[in-house]
Amino acid sequence: MNYKNRLTAWFKEGDKRTLSGYHLKLFSVFAFILSVFQIWSVVWGRLNPINQMAIHLAFILGITFLVYGYSKKARQRKLPTSVDYICTFLALGAGIYFTFHAERIAVRVPIMDPLTNLDIFFGLVFVLLSIEAARRTIGLPIIVIVLIGISYALWGHHLNGLMWHREFSAVEVLDDLAFSFNGLWGSPIAVAASFVFMFMLFGSFLNKAGAGEFFFKLSTAVAGRSKGGAAKVAVLASAFFGSISGSPTANVVTTGAFTIPVSKKTGYKPSFAAAVEVAASTGGSILPPIMGSSAFLMAAVTQMSYGSIVIAAIIPGILYYVSLLTMVHFEALRLDLPRTAKEDIPQISHVLKEGWYYFIPLVVLLFFLIQGYSASRTGFYGILSIVIVSWFRKNKRMGIKAIVAAMIDGAKSSIPVTTACAAAGLVIAGIMSTGLGGKLTSIVLGLTEGMLLPTLLLVMIICIILGMGMPVAAAYILTAMLAAPALIELGVSTLSAHLFIVYFSIFSAITPPVAVAAFAAAGISGSNPNRVGFEAVRLGIVGFIVPFMFVLEPSLLMDGSLAQIIIAFMSAVIGVVTLAAGIIGWMITRATILERLLLIAGGFMMMYPGLLSDGIGVGLIILVMVIQRKREPELSEKKFSQSLEKQKIEDGKSIGVSN
């Protein structure tokens, strides 16, 4: 590959290899050691924080360069190159150096205690390898942000006005990036090296124990009997998996591999079937109790308890999936899709009898979290419970091989999250040292003149732009540092402000043009990626509305009296169902354009807090119902006539054939 091609290849993400031979063995050894270390550090270890984070990052970087090639164009897909091995061992060497010097690094005073030559070398190793690893695993967007942040720290003193800051030397910038708790060793990597990793392991163990098959069967048993049941199964199954994995794309390629073809076979359009999977998989990250990694990140950034965040997220999560299931149902009615044959649907009692014990690990998680245990230790207890319950059935028992495989898979699945968090830490270092966060808050409030709704809209746009093509972890952390202070300054509670940002960081994953999950689903369904992306946005529209609702109506976050919470919830449920009816174009019967507009308006009115808006919403809904009730007999008679005419034609053909 010549110089020009290499330069072009650097602007794209790397290629994920399928390892074999001793390369696979080397990766497996490193991944297994990492998982063992993480479990030990959570349960028994009492390490210096920099010690724990440096070892974690070193191993993650090491296995990243073994699994991810330089680029998709490079002919290096099967085996790592010498450069990859050099990067791997440099990362491990940096981890060893920081481990031996962790105590000195933790207590040193920046600038007053100058960096040694070895400090500078290994600090650069960690910074440069973190940037390259993020590029290979995530792609260009986050790298552009990192490079802009570092460039601003180095040369921002040349700017005028609000964006000016004092001059920093290159060594001072490196000091902040690699030797402070604002940079690599800040909250993003701390969360990735503790909470997130343990729950990645939890998800890996749950899959190895056969929980995936159980939850899919249970979804089929619950939703399979209704019209368009296949797509409803996709919604429920993807919600279960998405909450655990926290990765919409990973969830699409696993559950979507069987839900999308079945939905197409039922009668849904390929783009609609793919969009349902995308919207359901993405929504898993807002579904309690696990919520992917977003709840843990939010807890670390806001210093709020994990339990309070999960409780607050219950109603918004329910509203999203009520809306999605309603849209799927109305689409099935509109297309008059057949029901699934009874013999193909398992009995709920039979499914629960076979795998009821898979709920035990989830109950264990909830119990220990409510009891106030740390999320990391809770994840460990959850893993232990999975191994124990796997022995309830002989053919699902996890032996040594299955446990080792789960630990390796867990380490592998945590690579993108950790590399994204490392890159986010580099950006945060620049924000903190230059005071950029406060400056952007002033700019945002200046642009919106301190008005809440325009500020919310601007923050939403920032979240979506920063989140395109990036994991939830990186998108949330970056936007939380930049935009959350502006919302809090306008009187929005810390919980509402950060949950608002979490939502849009998550739903940026389905927003075209960079909707990675939609691209994956389009490949499975054989439809256009952009069409799938826009269809997913249409189906997941409530995910873009609910954040505004709970900022304006805190009762939706369980903040208020019981009566206020119940009234707000019921009003919101009616609103999202009505909105779904308007978007799909079906309520009692097929809706006209005017009726759809009235339903959409009625849905918005019901979701907007206030008795007046609720009254207007109810009035619009009743008006559409009355109109459709009057028109329904005419449509039924017309449908009966068409059916009778069709039957006559078929009878005529039959007579002709017999003659």
Side-chain angles (χ1 to χ4, degrees):
M1 185 185 293
N2 60 37
Y3 176 77
K4 184 178 179 181
N5 288 340
R6 284 184 179 276
L7 188 62
T8 303
W10 193 83
F11 285 94
K12 298 181 180 180
E13 69 272 22
D15 184 43
K16 196 171 183 179
R17 300 179 173 116
T18 302
L19 298 174
S20 60
Y22 77 87
H23 308 280
L24 175 61
K25 291 179 181 177
L26 182 64
F27 163 79
S28 300
V29 168
F30 285 161
F32 179 73
I33 291 172
L34 173 60
S35 293
V36 170
F37 167 75
Q38 290 295 135
I39 292 173
W40 173 82
S41 66
V42 165
V43 182
W44 298 284
R46 295 293 182 270
L47 294 175
N48 182 302
I50 288 183
N51 247 336
Q52 202 266 346
M53 290 185 283
I55 293 172
H56 175 83
L57 181 59
F59 272 96
I60 286 291
L61 292 177
I63 61 178
T64 297
F65 292 111
L66 294 178
V67 175
Y68 289 84
Y70 178 80
S71 76
K72 291 185 176 180
K73 288 187 176 181
R75 301 302 180 189
Q76 305 165 0
R77 298 188 178 185
K78 292 185 178 179
L79 302 176
T81 65
S82 56
V83 173
D84 296 318
Y85 280 114
I86 290 171
C87 290
T88 294
F89 289 106
L90 274 175
L92 295 175
I96 292 170
Y97 181 81
F98 271 74
T99 299
F100 280 111
H101 294 268
E103 189 172 342
R104 175 179 66 84
I105 293 169
V107 299
R108 67 178 286 274
V109 180
I111 303 174
M112 299 295 293
D113 296 331
L115 299 175
T116 67
N117 290 334
L118 282 176
D119 286 343
I120 293 172
F121 174 76
F122 284 112
L124 275 173
V125 166
F126 259 145
V127 170
L128 295 176
L129 292 184
S130 295
I131 292 172
E132 171 61 8
R135 182 197 67 81
R136 292 193 185 194
T137 55
I138 304 165
L140 185 62
I142 194 170
I143 302 307
V144 170
I145 296 171
V146 171
L147 294 179
I148 290 173
I150 294 175
S151 299
Y152 178 68
L154 286 170
W155 299 296
H157 60 279
H158 293 298
L159 300 175
N160 296 318
L162 185 64
M163 299 304 289
W164 177 89
H165 64 74
R166 75 173 183 86
E167 185 176 355
F168 294 98
S169 67
V171 173
E172 284 178 311
V173 173
L174 178 65
D175 195 338
D176 211 39
L177 292 175
F179 294 90
S180 77
F181 288 102
N182 291 330
L184 277 179
W185 317 123
S187 58
I189 203 71
V191 172
S194 51
F195 313 151
V196 174
F197 189 91
M198 291 306 295
F199 275 82
M200 289 289 186
L201 273 183
F202 177 85
S204 178
F205 270 81
L206 205 56
N207 283 329
K208 288 290 181 184
E213 182 183 351
F214 164 72
F215 284 123
F216 183 74
K217 285 183 177 179
L218 182 62
S219 302
T220 305
V222 170
R225 288 173 173 77
S226 62
K227 273 184 174 288
K232 294 172 188 173
V233 170
V235 171
L236 296 176
S238 299
F240 281 125
F241 290 117
S243 181
I244 295 169
S245 72
S247 171
T249 307
N251 202 51
V252 164
V253 297
T254 50
T255 59
F258 45 84
T259 60
I260 292 174
V262 172
S263 296
K264 285 171 60 179
K265 189 176 180 181
T266 304
Y268 290 104
K269 291 188 300 183
S271 60
F272 187 90
V276 168
E277 177 62 38
V278 171
S281 295
T282 303
S285 294
I286 63 168
L287 187 65
I290 299 177
M291 296 175 66
S293 60
S294 55
F296 305 116
L297 291 167
M298 186 173 160
V301 171
T302 61
Q303 298 301 302
M304 299 178 69
S305 70
Y306 175 82
S308 64
I309 294 170
V310 167
I311 291 171
I314 290 174
I315 291 178
I318 291 173
L319 292 177
Y320 179 77
Y321 278 100
V322 165
S323 168
L324 188 53
L325 284 168
T326 305
M327 286 196 191
V328 168
H329 180 68
F330 284 150
E331 180 72 3
L333 292 176
R334 190 179 70 83
L335 297 174
D336 195 22
L337 298 181
R339 299 176 188 272
T340 306
K342 286 186 178 181
E343 57 270 19
D344 295 333
I345 303 171
Q347 293 289 328
I348 295 178
S349 57
H350 181 68
V351 173
L352 289 174
K353 185 179 178 181
E354 280 191 342
W356 62 269
Y357 48 84
Y358 285 118
F359 285 109
I360 293 176
L362 301 178
V363 173
V364 168
L365 288 184
L366 286 173
F367 173 79
F368 283 105
L369 286 171
I370 291 170
Q371 291 297 314
Y373 284 75
S374 70
S376 301
R377 190 171 285 268
T378 297
F380 172 70
Y381 292 145
I383 291 169
L384 281 182
S385 68
I386 293 169
V387 175
I388 293 169
V389 301
S390 72
W391 282 71
F392 285 15
R393 290 186 69 84
K394 189 174 181 180
N395 61 335
K396 299 293 183 182
R397 290 176 183 173
M398 293 189 72
I400 298 298
K401 286 185 178 179
I403 290 172
V404 170
M407 293 174 77
I408 292 170
D409 287 348
K412 188 175 182 180
S413 64
S414 70
I415 290 175
V417 175
T418 301
T419 55
C421 286
L426 297 177
V427 178
I428 290 170
I431 293 172
M432 299 296 287
S433 63
T434 61
L436 182 61
K439 296 170 186 176
L440 287 178
T441 298
S442 300
I443 292 171
V444 168
L445 293 178
L447 288 172
T448 59
E449 298 181 351
M451 293 185 289
L452 181 58
L453 192 57
T455 304
L456 290 172
L457 289 168
L458 186 56
V459 171
M460 176 192 77
I461 293 168
I462 292 171
C463 286
I464 290 173
I465 291 173
L466 288 179
M468 286 183 178
M470 288 205 298
V472 173
Y476 163 67
I477 292 168
L478 291 178
T479 316
M481 293 297 173
L482 294 172
L487 296 178
I488 293 170
E489 195 165 319
L490 290 178
V492 178
S493 69
T494 301
L495 176 63
S496 297
H498 281 267
L499 203 56
F500 182 91
I501 291 169
V502 164
Y503 259 68
F504 286 110
S505 299
I506 288 168
F507 286 101
S508 64
I510 65 172
T511 309
V514 189
V516 182
F519 294 164
I524 297 171
S525 66
S527 50
N528 181 276
N530 285 325
R531 186 175 298 169
V532 173
F534 284 113
E535 189 73 47
V537 169
R538 186 172 75 102
L539 293 174
I541 191 66
V542 166
F544 294 85
I545 298 171
V546 163
F548 291 90
M549 292 168 58
F550 61 62
V551 168
L552 298 173
E553 179 54 88
S555 298
L556 293 176
L557 297 181
M558 304 284 192
D559 183 11
S561 66
L562 181 60
Q564 289 174 323
I565 293 170
I566 292 173
I567 292 170
F569 176 63
M570 295 305 297
S571 174
V573 167
I574 296 170
V576 298
V577 170
T578 305
L579 182 65
I583 289 172
I584 296 299
W586 186 282
M587 195 174 189
I588 298 171
T589 185
R590 190 181 298 274
T592 64
I593 293 176
L594 177 60
E595 290 167 356
R596 293 179 72 171
L597 292 174
L598 290 174
L599 287 170
I600 291 171
F604 274 111
M605 287 292 102
M606 292 300 298
M607 288 187 282
Y608 191 85
L611 289 175
L612 177 61
S613 59
D614 285 354
I616 295 171
V618 169
L620 292 173
I621 294 168
I622 292 173
L623 176 62
V624 174
M625 290 178 70
V626 170
I627 293 172
Q628 291 202 346
R629 282 291 185 192
K630 286 184 177 180
R631 197 170 75 250
E632 191 180 18
E634 298 174 11
L635 292 172
S636 298
E637 186 177 342
K638 184 178 178 182
K639 189 175 180 181
F640 176 75
S641 301
Q642 289 174 346
S643 177
L644 193 63
E645 187 66 28
K646 184 179 178 181
Q647 186 64 41
K648 286 180 179 178
I649 293 170
E650 289 178 355
D651 291 344
K653 287 180 179 178
S654 299
I655 294 170
V657 170
S658 61
N659 289 336

